[in-house]
Amino acid sequence: MPNGDVFPCHVLTNPEFHCGNVRETSLLDICRRDGFLGKLQSLDFSELARQDKRLASLIESETCMGTIYFKTRSLQVWRGNVL
C-alpha cells in the first residue's frame, strides 16, 4: 500500500490480513517471519476443501483464495486455519 502496509495480495487488504509495514520493518523480514504470511503459505487447500465442501473451488486451478475467502469468510474453517 502507499503508506507501506503489506498485505498478501490486492484482494486481502482487510485488517486481519495486515502483515506489517515496510516503513517499520524490511520486506525481507516481513516475508521471512513465522507469522501470517508463513501461515498463508502453508495452507493446504485440499484439506480446507475436505473440512468444508463449500471451499471445494480452492483446489481448482486459477482460483483466487481471496475471492473465495470473501464469499465464505463466515465459515468456521477459516478461524481454525487462517485467522
Side-chain angles (χ1 to χ4, degrees):
M1 302 301 277
N3 68 351
D5 285 342
V6 177
F7 294 89
C9 75
H10 70 283
V11 177
L12 301 173
T13 58
N14 285 23
E16 66 262 30
F17 291 103
H18 185 258
C19 299
N21 186 296
V22 293
R23 293 182 181 180
E24 300 166 1
T25 308
S26 75
L27 183 58
L28 187 59
D29 285 342
I30 290 171
C31 293
R32 282 187 177 166
R33 266 190 241 169
D34 287 339
F36 190 67
L37 283 176
K39 198 172 190 180
L40 284 176
Q41 183 179 2
S42 67
L43 278 177
D44 181 342
F45 291 149
S46 296
E47 178 59 29
L48 290 175
R50 277 192 291 277
Q51 291 178 33
D52 193 311
K53 293 178 184 177
R54 293 170 284 187
L55 300 179
S57 58
L58 284 173
I59 57 177
E60 297 172 8
S61 64
E62 299 183 30
T63 297
C64 172
M65 180 256 184
T67 301
I68 302 303
Y69 172 78
F70 281 108
K71 291 179 183 176
T72 61
R73 65 181 165 196
S74 64
L75 298 178
Q76 184 63 34
V77 68
W78 290 117
R79 283 169 193 45
N81 291 291
V82 177
L83 304 175

